[in-house]
């Protein structure tokens, strides 16, 4: 059974930092395309960042580029999202997502429809 669990969310003031973690089990981790999504109340779930299987290629949407860093530790089955210079507009539920069928990882495939395995979400709230 595939299990995806995020952690690390919390309340932080604008300009602060948080590091999210995600552990995926039940499948060979290095065979999983991994991504972070977020969803604010009343809005659709949007992609934030994704990473290639080996971690060599990383992709970010413009709104977080230069502030967020995605990484993965395949030996520990763990995905990370380092978030710096947080803004109030970053406030959302953040979801870790994984897929074992996706063959192209990048902004062009950073859509919820392309990821089959999801965590429960971890709340990030940034105060102004």
């Amino acid at each position: 059974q595939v299990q995806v669990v995020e952690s690390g969310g919390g309340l932080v003031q604008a300009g602060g930092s948080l590091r999210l973690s995600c552990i995926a089990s039940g499948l060979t981790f290095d065979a999983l395309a991994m991504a972070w999504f977020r969803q604010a109340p009343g809005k659709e779930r949007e992609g934030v960042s994704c990473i290639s299987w080996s971690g060599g290629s990383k992709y970010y949407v413009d709104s977080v580029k230069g502030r967020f860093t995605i990484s993965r530790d395949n030996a520990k089955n763990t995905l990370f999202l380092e978030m710096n210079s947080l803004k109030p507009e970053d406030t959302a539920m953040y979801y870790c997502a994984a897929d074992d069928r996706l063959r192209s990882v990048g902004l062009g495939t950073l859509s919820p429809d392309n990821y089959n395995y999801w965590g429960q979400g971890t709340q990030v709230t940034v105060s102004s």
Side-chain angles (χ1 to χ4, degrees), residues 85-109:
S85 301
L86 283 163
K87 304 175 181 180
E89 51 262 46
D90 295 318
T91 295
M93 185 73 73
Y94 282 71
Y95 296 92
C96 175
D99 193 84
D100 58 350
R101 299 186 300 171
L102 193 64
R103 300 176 70 179
S104 179
V105 175
L107 296 181
T109 55

Side-chain angles (χ1 to χ4, degrees), residues 103-126:
R103 300 176 70 179
S104 179
V105 175
L107 296 181
T109 55
L110 190 58
S111 168
D113 293 340
N114 289 323
Y115 288 82
N116 291 321
Y117 307 110
W118 294 83
Q120 81 291 341
T122 185
Q123 178 68 38
V124 173
T125 302
V126 184

Side-chain angles (χ1 to χ4, degrees), residues 15-37:
S17 299
L18 286 172
R19 186 164 106 145
L20 307 183
S21 299
C22 169
I23 299 176
S25 61
L27 294 171
T28 302
F29 187 79
D30 59 5
L32 294 171
M34 303 294 295
W36 290 98
F37 293 80

Side-chain angles (χ1 to χ4, degrees), residues 26-72:
L27 294 171
T28 302
F29 187 79
D30 59 5
L32 294 171
M34 303 294 295
W36 290 98
F37 293 80
R38 66 186 181 185
Q39 187 169 22
K43 297 184 178 180
E44 293 186 354
R45 191 167 299 186
E46 65 172 349
V48 177
S49 180
C50 54
I51 187 168
S52 62
W53 299 265
S54 66
S57 298
K58 305 173 182 180
Y59 307 89
Y60 307 90
V61 295
D62 288 343
S63 60
V64 308
K65 190 178 300 181
R67 300 188 296 118
F68 291 11
T69 302
I70 190 171
S71 61
R72 64 191 295 168

